[in-house]
């Protein structure tokens, strides 16, 4: 059997007139009826671009030169913006980025049943568009031909790592230390056996978690510890799965509690300190998170004595603020480790009107004992896959208001259709710029029960 020949791509640059943007932030142009997806191009621009991929119905291109620039074009704040896949919209000014995300949310609502909220709310802007990212996973790769180690994010649309010296989007405690990190890794005996470094930052502490595929020598451990000391970072190792993550600097306490391995952030409005393990899910943008929690609690309009349900509650990011306002709050999470974390945070903050439970949120949970009394208000913050099954069950509680926080406009729009079909009205919705310079769309929606 003959092997299919790879299509030969044009070597000469192609002139593209860009009409609009795709949902992943690429310019869309057309040539001879064929769609062109152009990285780094904006609507209204004419660019010269290199063809980097070709399919039967579309070509993929990368901008080489901008012949006619759009008014929204700006100089990216990062030297690696054209190549690094960590960001895709740095060449677009901030207001235009927000409008793009609003349009994306509108289009998804329209696509899934023609739904539109009674009110579109003003976008929630990030207080910082640089240095905001507190969670990340950087790849590490040894390149024999260069005899060097690369540390960074994957290039746009391929598996190669971008060779970066710094990252202006990450928390500067990490983003400004890429070069010394690379030098550290290159100097280890295990220079080619550490495939990634996980990043987590709290208000006061920044962490690096090194994925070590083999046991490290005493010399390598000493170098990692010295790096942590020199740069005021906590250093962890991960020899196998996530449950093997452990701190080697500062030296952990010996009481076996592991409580000293917790990072923390504050929600000042609610007088809460939230503790988390470096591998726990937390929102990457602390500034937006505080505003988002405020808006969610405000929209639910919690009254004293009300019973509130928080689904996909994680470590209690919404649950505990709700407990400051409500009579009783029930947090439900599929990850048992996060259920434990929620209970720890409730105890830390002296809250006794909140309980946390583990449950399969893809199954009907309405018969669970904690669900028996029903709920006046509900908050839901699901993963990217959304909460299709959950939305079918929620209406049985008869809650007057439901706030849905989403990290995927497509699944929010789909689930909104279920809510509307089951007797709720989409009252208001809007975007939150959780990830500036990316096409990631975080949004929030309020549903109210329609009285029959």
């Amino acid at each position: 059997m003959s092997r299919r020949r790879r299509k030969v791509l044009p070597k000469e640059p192609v002139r593209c007139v860009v009409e609009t943007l795709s949902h992943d932030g690429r310019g869309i142009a057309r040539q001879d009826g064929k769609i062109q997806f152009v990285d780094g191009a904006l609507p209204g621009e004419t660019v010269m671009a290199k063809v980097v991929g070709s399919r039967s119905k579309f070509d993929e291109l990368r901008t080489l030169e901008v012949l006619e620039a759009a008014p929204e074009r700006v100089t990216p704040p990062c030297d690696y913006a054209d190549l690094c896949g960590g960001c895709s919209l740095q060449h677009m000014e901030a207001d235009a980025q927000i409008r793009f995300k609003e349009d994306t949310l509108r289009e998804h609502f329209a696509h899934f049943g023609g739904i539109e909220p009674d009110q579109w709310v003003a976008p929630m802007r990030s207080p910082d568009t640089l240095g905001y990212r507190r969670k990340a996973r950087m790849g590490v790769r040894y390149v024999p031909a260069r005899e060097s180690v690369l540390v960074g994010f994957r290039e746009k649309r391929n598996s190669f790592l971008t060779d970066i010296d710094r990252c202006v989007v990450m928390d500067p405690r990490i983003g400004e230390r890429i070069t010394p990190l690379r030098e550290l890794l290159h100097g280890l005996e295990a220079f080619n056996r550490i495939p990634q470094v996980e990043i987590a930052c709290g208000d006061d502490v920044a962490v690096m978690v090194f994925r070590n595929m083999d046991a490290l020598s005493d010399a390598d451990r000493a170098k990692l510890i010295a790096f942590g000391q020199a740069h005021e970072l906590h250093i962890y190792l991960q020899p196998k799965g996530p449950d093997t993550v452990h701190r080697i600097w500062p030296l952990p306490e010996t009481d076996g509690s592991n409580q000293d391995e917790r990072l923390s952030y504050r929600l000042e409005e609610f007088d809460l300190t939230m503790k988390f393990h470096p591998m726990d899910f937390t929102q990457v943008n602390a500034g937006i998170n505080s505003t988002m929690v405020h808006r969610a609690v405000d929209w639910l309009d919690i009254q004293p004595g009300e019973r509130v349900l928080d689904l996909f509650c994680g470590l209690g990011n919404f649950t505990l603020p709700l407990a400051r306002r409500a009579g009783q709050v029930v947090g439900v999470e599929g990850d048992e480790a996060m259920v434990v974390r929620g209970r720890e945070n409730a105890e830390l903050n002296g809250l006794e009107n909140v309980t946390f439970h583990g449950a399969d949120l893809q199954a009907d949970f309405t018969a669970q004992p904690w669900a028996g009394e029903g709920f006046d208000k509900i908050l839901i913050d699901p993963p990217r896959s959304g909460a299709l099954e959950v939305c079918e069950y929620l209406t049985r509680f008869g809650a007057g208001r439901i706030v849905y926080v989403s990290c995927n406009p497509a699944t929010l729009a789909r689930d909104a259709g279920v809510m509307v079909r089951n007797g709720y009205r989409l009252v208001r919705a809007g975007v939150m710029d959780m990830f500036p310079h990316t096409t990631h769309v975080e949004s929030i929606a309020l549903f109210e029960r329609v009285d029959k």
Side-chain angles (χ1 to χ4, degrees):
M1 182 181 294
S2 62
R3 300 175 69 180
R4 187 172 62 179
R5 296 176 112 188
R6 179 174 295 184
K7 188 172 182 179
V8 178
L9 302 177
K11 293 183 178 180
E12 294 299 317
V14 177
R15 186 175 184 272
C16 302
V17 179
V18 181
E19 302 169 5
T20 185
L21 280 186
S22 66
H23 287 161
D24 64 0
R26 290 185 288 179
I28 298 178
R30 288 174 173 81
Q31 187 174 67
D32 299 327
K34 191 175 186 182
I35 294 176
Q36 300 169 311
F37 291 108
V38 190
D39 262 322
L42 298 176
E45 293 188 330
T46 301
V47 304
M48 297 301 293
K50 177 183 179 180
V51 180
V52 295
S54 182
R55 304 289 187 273
S56 60
K57 295 184 179 180
F58 63 88
D59 289 335
E60 296 179 301
L61 302 93
R62 180 166 57 87
T63 298
L64 299 176
E65 180 184 2
V66 179
L67 302 179
E68 296 180 31
E72 296 82 10
R73 177 170 287 277
V74 295
T75 300
C78 174
D79 295 335
Y80 312 100
D82 291 342
L83 187 61
C84 179
C87 298
S88 51
L89 296 178
Q90 286 197 14
H91 58 292
M92 179 188 286
E93 60 99 10
D95 288 344
Q97 290 186 31
I98 292 288
R99 290 194 298 271
F100 164 74
K101 295 179 181 185
E102 288 184 307
D103 289 344
T104 299
L105 182 60
R106 290 173 187 267
E107 289 168 12
H108 279 100
F109 274 132
H111 178 72
F112 287 91
I115 300 170
E116 185 166 346
D118 296 345
Q119 177 191 8
W120 288 103
V121 299
M124 189 182 298
R125 296 176 179 273
S126 176
D128 299 297
T129 60
L130 299 177
Y132 70 84
R133 184 156 189 165
R134 288 189 169 194
K135 294 277 285 187
R137 177 180 295 167
M138 294 189 294
V140 179
R141 185 169 299 167
Y142 174 69
V143 183
R146 297 174 50 176
E147 295 186 348
S148 64
V149 172
L150 303 185
V151 180
F153 302 101
R154 289 181 179 176
E155 295 180 359
K156 288 182 170 69
R157 284 166 245 292
N158 68 54
S159 60
F160 297 113
L161 287 185
T162 311
D163 188 9
I164 64 175
D165 295 318
R166 60 195 291 262
C167 176
V168 299
V169 170
M170 276 201 292
D171 186 303
R173 291 173 289 180
I174 302 296
E176 295 296 330
R177 288 167 173 153
I178 305 298
T179 295
L181 172 62
R182 189 175 64 232
E183 293 170 350
L184 164 73
L185 290 165
H186 183 67
L188 297 178
E189 295 173 17
F191 62 90
N192 60 348
R193 300 295 290 166
I194 296 179
Q196 69 185 40
V197 180
E198 196 100 13
I199 304 305
C201 300
D203 288 348
D204 302 319
V205 173
V207 166
M208 287 186 180
V209 182
F210 293 83
R211 173 71 175 96
N212 56 306
M213 299 178 68
D214 303 315
L216 297 183
S217 67
D218 291 342
D220 277 358
R221 290 174 66 93
K223 288 179 181 178
L224 289 172
I225 290 172
F227 181 81
Q229 292 172 325
H231 296 282
E232 299 182 327
L233 299 171
H234 286 198
I235 304 298
Y236 288 67
L237 296 180
Q238 182 186 344
K240 293 183 180 179
D243 60 336
T244 67
V245 172
H246 62 283
R247 197 176 76 197
I248 63 170
W249 180 259
L251 295 177
E253 299 291 340
T254 58
D255 62 3
S257 68
N258 292 325
Q259 285 300 308
D260 66 319
E261 292 194 354
R262 302 289 186 263
L263 288 73
S264 68
Y265 63 91
R266 285 283 297 170
L267 293 172
E268 291 294 350
E269 178 183 356
F270 300 95
D271 189 24
L272 293 170
T273 296
M274 309 297 294
K275 289 196 172 184
F276 63 98
H277 186 273
M279 302 302 284
D280 289 344
F281 170 81
T282 55
Q283 299 292 350
V284 303
N285 189 327
I288 277 286
N289 184 57
S290 294
T291 312
M292 176 178 69
V293 171
H294 167 85
R295 176 168 287 184
V297 174
D298 179 60
W299 281 13
L300 280 174
D301 190 26
I302 305 296
Q303 301 300 311
E306 287 188 324
R307 184 171 160 85
V308 183
L309 175 64
D310 179 14
L311 294 174
F312 303 95
C313 67
L315 53 77
N317 186 57
F318 292 104
T319 326
L320 301 192
L322 290 168
R324 290 290 199 213
R325 303 283 190 269
Q328 181 70 32
V329 180
V330 174
V332 185
E333 170 61 47
D335 184 344
E336 285 293 339
M338 297 301 276
V339 173
V340 172
R341 205 79 72 243
R343 291 170 180 162
E344 290 174 357
N345 280 317
E347 181 178 359
L348 173 69
N349 290 280
L351 287 166
E352 299 180 351
N353 64 331
V354 56
T355 58
F356 288 87
H357 303 273
D360 179 0
L361 292 176
Q362 293 184 333
D364 185 353
F365 51 78
T366 54
Q368 294 292 325
W370 48 262
E373 297 180 29
F375 298 95
D376 301 293
K377 308 285 175 61
I378 297 174
L379 186 141
I380 179 170
D381 180 17
R384 288 189 60 79
S385 56
L388 184 60
E389 298 85 356
V390 168
C391 289
E392 293 285 2
Y393 306 137
L394 285 188
T395 54
R396 299 183 195 176
F397 294 124
R401 289 191 174 194
I402 298 175
V403 164
Y404 190 131
V405 177
S406 169
C407 60
N408 185 346
T411 52
L412 169 60
R414 178 201 66 194
D415 295 349
V418 175
M419 302 283 289
V420 170
R421 187 172 69 245
N422 288 338
Y424 280 82
R425 187 175 89 255
L426 179 55
V427 177
R428 61 179 77 123
V431 299
M432 304 178 289
D433 199 15
M434 181 70 74
F435 291 82
H437 304 302
T438 78
T439 58
H440 181 100
V441 181
E442 195 93 4
S443 50
I444 185 170
L446 170 65
F447 298 85
E448 286 187 352
R449 188 171 47 137
V450 178
D451 293 327
K452 297 183 179 179

